Amino acid sequence: MNVLFMGPPGSGKGTQSKLLRDRFDMEHLSTGDILREAIAQKTEVGMRAKGYMDKGEYVPDAVVIDLIRARLSSLAGKGFILDGFPRTVPQAQALDQVLSELNLQLNGVFFFDVKKDVLVNRLSSRRTCRNCNRIVSADMVSNGKLEDCTVTSKPCNFYQRNDDLPEVITKRIQVYQEQTTPVIDYYKSNPNFLTVDAAMPADQVFQIIIGKLK
Ligand code: AP5
């Protein structure tokens, strides 16, 4: 089973990807996570991407297409979730090409629809674990009743992403509207396309996704 999650920053793509990955043992391919890992490891790709990401702009198509091509080519039959790719029409065209070369198909294409004010609230209060990438809200961290990190087995080491600062959030939403809205139109004719009201609680969003995939 291969799935694509699309939607604006903060619409819940990462949250739903982790739920689906854990339920069905799928590969979670998040270009944002892959790029942040490259930055942490100070690779050439990471150093190139950092300047764009800190400003809330998209990393050049060629960079992310190469990353995804490499990951998809090494899956050896495991189902995958694409989270945050494609974000531009050239990326969508490149994905079609790669999937065709690998004889793969998308069984679900989900667009997470959420209004801007909700996105801003969610992103401003998001915290992410440095080790296991768990995503929570600041409220949940201050309540202190969270499971331990799945990597260290100690309490998670939460931080606020550089691009979750107010001025960068505004820029990210603007870039999304300009460059990714055409990608939604690109997929609307796909028979497995579904718009999800992702302002609902995360567990309800998950049930809708599961229902469609069944
Ligand atoms: P990336 O990391 O992919 O960021 P994004 O797309 O902006 O998405 P987010 O991770 O911010 O949000 P999300 O939709 O995953 O929401 P989440 O589940 O975390 O990309 C970062 C940067 O990398 C880009 O800006 C760009 O520079 C670069 N990049 C990445 N891919 C690229 C590409 N293909 N091309 C070019 N550049 C690329 O949830 C957010 C918060 O809401 C959390 O606190 C969560 O707990 C909460 N929440 C989630 N769901 C719900 C719910 N249903 N109800 C209430 N709260 C919820």
Side-chain angles (χ1 to χ4, degrees), residues 16-34:
Q16 296 300 327
S17 295
K18 289 174 176 67
L19 291 171
L20 200 61
R21 174 199 66 188
D22 292 347
R23 174 73 69 94
F24 295 111
D25 188 27
M26 297 166 76
E27 196 71 23
H28 175 199
L29 299 175
S30 154
T31 34
D33 286 349
I34 295 168

Side-chain angles (χ1 to χ4, degrees), residues 43-92:
T43 66
E44 197 183 322
V45 165
M47 293 304 94
R48 199 165 159 213
K50 186 174 179 356
Y52 295 99
M53 292 173 73
D54 284 349
K55 283 189 280 186
E57 295 170 1
Y58 285 171
V59 174
D61 286 339
V63 174
V64 285
I65 290 169
D66 282 354
L67 289 175
I68 285 295
R69 178 184 287 276
R71 299 279 175 133
L72 286 176
S73 303
S74 64
L75 285 179
K78 193 170 181 185
F80 61 82
I81 306 156
L82 281 171
D83 161 9
F85 180 95
R87 282 182 209 231
T88 63
V89 171
Q91 290 180 24

Side-chain angles (χ1 to χ4, degrees), residues 89-157:
V89 171
Q91 290 180 24
Q93 290 165 336
L95 177 62
D96 279 347
Q97 173 74 29
V98 176
L99 292 178
S100 153
E101 284 165 18
L102 298 173
N103 202 18
L104 295 170
Q105 287 175 350
L106 295 171
N107 308 102
V109 178
F110 296 91
F111 164 52
F112 292 177
D113 195 14
V114 182
K115 289 200 171 65
K116 185 176 172 183
D117 54 335
V118 177
L119 300 173
V120 173
N121 281 338
R122 285 186 185 178
L123 292 172
S124 313
S125 70
R126 173 171 56 188
R127 300 294 180 269
T128 308
C129 175
R130 283 190 192 283
N131 300 310
C132 70
N133 283 331
R134 177 179 291 157
I135 304 163
V136 297
S137 67
D139 289 354
M140 292 164 76
V141 178
S142 48
N143 288 344
K145 286 184 185 162
L146 290 166
E147 287 171 23
D148 281 345
C149 175
T150 53
V151 173
T152 64
S153 302
K154 293 179 182 166
C156 281
N157 182 6

Side-chain angles (χ1 to χ4, degrees), residues 109-114 184 188 192-198 208:
V109 178
F110 296 91
F111 164 52
F112 292 177
D113 195 14
V114 182
I184 298 157
K188 270 187 180 158
N192 295 322
F193 179 90
L194 183 71
T195 297
V196 180
D197 174 5
I208 290 173

